[in-house]
Amino acid sequence: MIKNIVFDVGNVLVDFKPKEYIAKFQFQKEIEEQIYEIIFKNLNWIECDRGTYTITEYKKRLKKQK
């Protein structure tokens, strides 16, 4: 019996370009880079992307890093 089906979405089914996504908000370039570093260059992001924990847990961990 199949219990789970996993889809690798990022750069497989859809393009994953976080810098382009952040740029759509039209922040200053320095702010865009800070957002990118804080959110996507974070070890917690890597673990969340792996499915180690949920987005909710990721947000909690991100807040604790402040």
Side-chain angles (χ1 to χ4, degrees):
M1 169 171 60
I2 297 173
K3 288 180 71 175
N4 299 308
I5 297 176
V6 177
F7 292 98
D8 187 353
V9 178
N11 286 329
V12 177
L13 299 177
V14 297
D15 289 335
F16 180 70
K17 299 178 182 175
K19 285 190 174 188
E20 287 181 21
Y21 175 75
I22 294 167
K24 290 180 183 180
F25 292 96
Q26 300 180 336
F27 294 112
Q28 295 174 350
K29 290 294 179 190
E30 182 179 313
I31 301 297
E32 286 179 9
E33 192 58 37
Q34 288 175 354
I35 292 170
Y36 177 77
E37 291 292 322
I38 291 167
I39 295 175
F40 297 104
K41 288 295 199 180
N42 184 309
L43 291 177
N44 288 319
W45 172 260
I46 295 167
E47 291 301 315
C48 184
D49 189 47
R50 279 190 187 136
T52 305
Y53 42 79
T54 65
I55 289 290
T56 302
E57 181 65 25
Y58 168 69
K59 289 177 187 177
K60 286 179 186 176
R61 290 170 180 262
L62 196 58
K63 287 179 183 178
K64 287 180 184 178
Q65 287 184 339
K66 290 183 182 178

